[in-house]
């Protein structure tokens, strides 16, 4: 059976996210702002969760329709054959959002959606009580300009939670965003990648995973692994396939530096958890001593805002980084920051820029070749 699927992602990461889905054989891949739509069977659902580097989650789209009243909202949800998807004892929390729509109260809409599912399940399973003491199924809805989308989450925790970052430094970059920045720079199995402000190591770890062709979801589980309507075997098969596609014995090196020894210890531990410690090394060092090799690629997120607090200090670090890269030119530098004065501080206009969002914070990736 083929399903309509939706993968939300951060603005600016759409093309990288779409590539992952095309690569696994998804059909009808279409890109709109902040989301990718595609089609596929149970194998594609499992592969999409395992392989998506930049999307936030994978959702099954169950129905799209217009609703301006609570009755219309209820009827649309109740028309979905929930009894074919959820067992009678399923636990099914409902989360949603509404934007520019007549039905603007999210709590009220959540209540109506839940009630419609309850009524349909009671009828479909021929029961009077739904104990909700079984497996978890996460329902999501979205109302945009009176158009309702009802979805079932297959990921559970967001896909940025790869399972390797147990702890992090202040204001860390999300793994999905880090992967999108790495994608801009083109990583090869013999790349030397450097990060002079490595924090918890996310950029170097994501670069190593890309170089190794390691599926980012290999070390975690997904909520749909226990969904009754999806064959259990697809998850094991897709994991086995992903395992067989890992490139081992590559020459990639990811080297991170940070002035904080605690951050370096954390990055080292995270790389080990991610299974890339053979290719990632982290050292305590000050950016003023940064001397990259000519063929290196630099990917970094200089401390700014929450991570530093002092704008003058941030500007000084950006000036130092600019001076170090002026003295030690590299093959490419990809620097993400929310600082609008970055180019002025760095001392050089970027060859290209890409707007991305780190959570709700608008940022730019400044690219130098």
């Amino acid at each position: 059976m083929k399903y309509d699927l939706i993968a939300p992602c951060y603005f600016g990461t759409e093309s990288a996210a779409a590539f992952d889905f095309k690569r696994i054989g998804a059909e009808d891949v279409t890109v709109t702002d902040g989301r990718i739509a595609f089609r596929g069977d149970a194998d594609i659902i499992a592969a999409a969760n395992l392989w998506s580097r930049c999307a936030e989650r994978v959702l099954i789209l169950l129905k799209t329709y217009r609703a301006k009243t609570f009755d219309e909202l209820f009827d649309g949800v109740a028309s979905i054959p929930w009894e074919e998807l959820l067992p009678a004892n399923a636990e099914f929390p409902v989360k949603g959002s509404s934007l520019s729509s007549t039905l603007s109260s999210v709590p009220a809409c959540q209540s109506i959606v839940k009630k419609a599912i309850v009524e349909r399940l009671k009828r479909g399973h021929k029961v009077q009580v739904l104990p909700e003491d079984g497996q978890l199924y996460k329902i999501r809805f979205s109302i945009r300009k009176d158009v309702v989308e009802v979805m079932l989450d297959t990921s559970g925790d967001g896909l940025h939670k790869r399972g390797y970052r147990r702890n992090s430094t202040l204001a860390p970059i999300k793994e999905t965003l880090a992967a999108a920045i790495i994608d801009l720079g083109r990583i090869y199995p013999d790349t030397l990648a450097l990060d002079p402000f490595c924090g918890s190591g996310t950029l170097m770890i994501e670069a190593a995973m890309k170089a190794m062709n390691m599926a980012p979801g290999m070390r975690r589980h997904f909520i749909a692994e226990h969904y009754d309507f999806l064959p259990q075997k697809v998850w094991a098969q897709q994991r086995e396939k992903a395992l067989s596609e890992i490139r081992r014995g590559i020459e990639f090196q990811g080297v991170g530096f940070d002035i904080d020894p605690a951050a370096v210890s954390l990055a080292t531990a995270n790389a080990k958890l991610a299974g890339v410690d053979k290719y990632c090394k982290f050292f305590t060092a000050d950016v003023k001593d940064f001397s990259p090799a000519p063929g290196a690629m630099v990917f970094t997120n200089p401390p700014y805002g929450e991570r530093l607090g002092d704008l003058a200090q941030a500007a000084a670090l950006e000036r130092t980084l600019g001076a170090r890269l002026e003295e030690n030119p590299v093959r490419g530098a990809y620097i993400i920051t929310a600082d609008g004065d970055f180019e002025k501080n760095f001392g050089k206009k970027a060859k290209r820029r890409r707007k991305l969002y780190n959570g709700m914070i608008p940022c730019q990736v400044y690219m130098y070749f």
Side-chain angles (χ1 to χ4, degrees):
M1 182 178 169
K2 296 276 174 76
Y3 299 91
D4 290 314
L5 302 161
I6 288 172
C9 58
Y10 282 124
F11 288 106
T13 67
E14 295 92 346
S15 57
F19 176 78
D20 288 334
F21 299 129
K22 287 174 184 168
R23 189 171 163 266
I24 60 166
E27 297 169 17
D28 305 332
V29 180
T30 55
V31 177
T32 49
D33 283 350
R35 69 191 284 177
I36 315 298
F38 57 104
R39 277 179 63 76
D41 57 12
D43 280 297
I44 292 293
I45 290 174
N49 276 294
L50 278 167
W51 279 104
S52 180
R53 293 186 193 280
C54 302
E56 286 304 307
R57 58 186 64 250
V58 177
L59 306 162
I60 299 174
L61 178 62
L62 301 173
K63 194 174 179 71
T64 305
Y65 63 102
R66 292 188 71 80
K68 287 189 173 186
T69 67
F70 287 131
D71 284 347
E72 287 171 340
L73 178 64
F74 182 96
D75 292 343
V77 175
S79 70
I80 297 166
W82 292 103
E83 67 279 5
E84 293 172 15
L85 302 167
L86 276 62
N89 68 338
E91 182 189 347
F92 55 101
V94 174
K95 276 179 89 169
S97 61
S98 175
L99 194 70
S100 310
S101 298
T102 311
L103 299 173
S104 59
S105 167
V106 173
C109 291
Q110 272 173 308
S111 178
I112 296 291
V113 170
K114 179 87 176 183
K115 191 177 172 190
I117 300 169
V118 166
E119 293 305 316
R120 176 74 194 225
L121 283 175
K122 281 182 178 176
R123 208 165 59 241
H125 286 300
K126 299 181 173 57
V127 294
Q128 288 305 306
V129 180
L130 300 173
E132 289 205 54
D133 57 3
Q135 296 281 20
L136 181 64
Y137 289 71
K138 289 187 174 180
I139 317 290
R140 290 178 177 264
F141 69 86
S142 157
I143 310 175
R144 298 284 180 275
K145 294 182 179 175
D146 299 325
V147 175
V148 181
E149 288 179 327
V150 184
M151 297 157 285
L152 182 60
D153 189 353
T154 70
S155 303
D157 285 340
L159 293 178
H160 67 275
K161 293 191 177 177
R162 316 287 208 217
Y164 67 72
R165 196 162 75 180
R166 297 295 157 88
N167 294 295
S168 61
T169 51
L170 265 181
I173 190 168
K174 269 200 171 166
E175 293 86 336
T176 41
L177 186 60
I181 296 162
I182 296 301
D183 190 71
L184 290 171
R186 300 276 180 274
I187 288 288
Y188 297 100
D190 61 351
T191 297
L192 168 61
L194 306 174
D195 183 354
F197 303 104
C198 71
S200 52
T202 309
L203 280 160
M204 292 300 94
I205 292 168
E206 290 295 323
M209 288 168 80
K210 179 92 172 175
M212 291 174 71
N213 195 41
M214 181 191 282
M218 282 291 286
R219 288 167 185 261
R220 58 159 286 178
H221 286 283
F222 308 98
I223 194 171
E225 288 183 54
H226 64 242
Y227 285 3
D228 287 349
F229 66 92
L230 294 173
Q232 288 287 299
K233 62 180 184 185
V234 299
W235 300 95
Q237 286 167 349
Q238 289 300 328
R239 274 201 175 86
E240 216 169 287
K241 186 170 181 286
L243 201 58
S244 72
E245 291 174 12
I246 294 175
R247 297 187 197 109
R248 301 183 193 276
I250 58 171
E251 291 173 33
F252 172 87
Q253 290 179 67
V255 187
F257 307 93
D258 204 286
I259 199 164
D260 179 4
V264 170
S265 296
L266 189 54
T268 303
N270 286 343
K272 195 170 170 57
L273 281 171
V276 299
D277 48 320
K278 183 180 174 184
Y279 303 105
C280 288
K281 298 290 178 257
F282 300 95
F283 302 95
T284 305
D286 193 310
V287 68
K288 66 179 168 48
D289 301 318
F290 186 52
S291 305
M297 301 284 285
V298 173
F299 299 91
T300 195
N301 175 27
Y304 181 76
E306 242 184 284
R307 284 167 74 200
L308 209 56
D310 183 342
L311 295 183
Q313 210 180 336
L317 287 175
E318 290 164 359
R319 276 194 294 276
T320 304
L321 179 62
R324 297 314 297 142
L325 289 177
E326 182 67 30
E327 212 171 298
N328 304 274
V330 292
R331 189 153 65 89
Y334 297 78
I335 303 158
I336 182 169
T337 179
D339 185 1
D341 290 328
F342 174 77
E343 285 170 313
K344 189 176 80 179
N345 298 331
F346 186 76
K348 198 174 183 182
K349 281 267 185 212
K351 284 281 197 315
R352 277 173 64 204
R353 284 162 44 158
R354 171 73 71 88
K355 191 172 185 179
L356 295 176
Y357 278 79
N358 188 6
M360 299 305 290
I361 306 164
C363 296
Q364 295 273 0
V365 181
Y366 297 90
M367 303 180 227
Y368 297 88
F369 314 119

